């Protein structure tokens, strides 16, 4: 982000000199970290087999498995259960 943009933001927010310096420091720190982080993709994440077995055993309740980023790794719905049980009956 350019210095002019940061100055405009500081002016719009009516920041004093200390706050403006802090804003610049935050942006510099964030820009440095952004370059160091690997690109975030939607790589397939493995759900442990034991969790899948547990979810398969839960026949009367829907279930969702999420990671710390709220990525849904596995979901089982009651409608799927009903369709599966009627197909095997």
């Amino acid at each position: 982000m350019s210095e002019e943009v940061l100055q405009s933001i500081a002016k719009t927010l009516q920041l004093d000199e200390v706050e403006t310096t802090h804003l610049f420091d935050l942006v510099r720190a964030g820009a440095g970290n952004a370059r160091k982080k690997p690109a975030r993709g939607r790589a397939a994440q493995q759900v442990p087999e034991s969790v899948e077995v547990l979810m398969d055993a839960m026949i009367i309740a829907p279930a969702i498995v999420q990671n710390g980023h709220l990525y849904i790794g596995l979901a089982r719905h009651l409608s799927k259960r009903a369709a599966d049980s009627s197909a095997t009956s």
Side-chain angles (χ1 to χ4, degrees):
M1 190 174 293
S2 73
E3 188 170 325
E4 291 88 17
V5 171
L6 289 175
Q7 287 292 351
S8 293
I9 291 170
K11 182 178 178 182
T12 301
L13 295 175
Q14 299 177 350
L15 302 180
D16 63 21
E17 187 177 336
V18 172
E19 293 166 331
T20 301
T21 301
H22 185 64
L23 173 66
F24 274 78
D25 291 344
L26 287 174
V27 171
R28 281 189 212 106
N33 289 337
R35 292 185 189 118
K36 294 177 186 175
K37 290 181 183 176
R40 291 175 77 177
R42 291 213 159 229
Q45 296 186 8
Q46 295 292 325
V47 175
E49 186 177 344
S50 59
V51 173
E52 288 191 47
V53 169
L54 176 66
M55 288 183 68
D56 286 339
M58 297 172 63
I59 59 173
I60 61 170
I64 296 174
V65 175
Q66 295 178 309
N67 68 8
H69 299 286
L70 301 180
Y71 170 80
I72 297 176
L74 186 61
R76 299 273 201 259
H77 303 283
L78 290 176
S79 59
K80 180 183 180 325
R81 295 283 184 216
D84 289 347
S85 61
S86 65
T88 58
S89 300

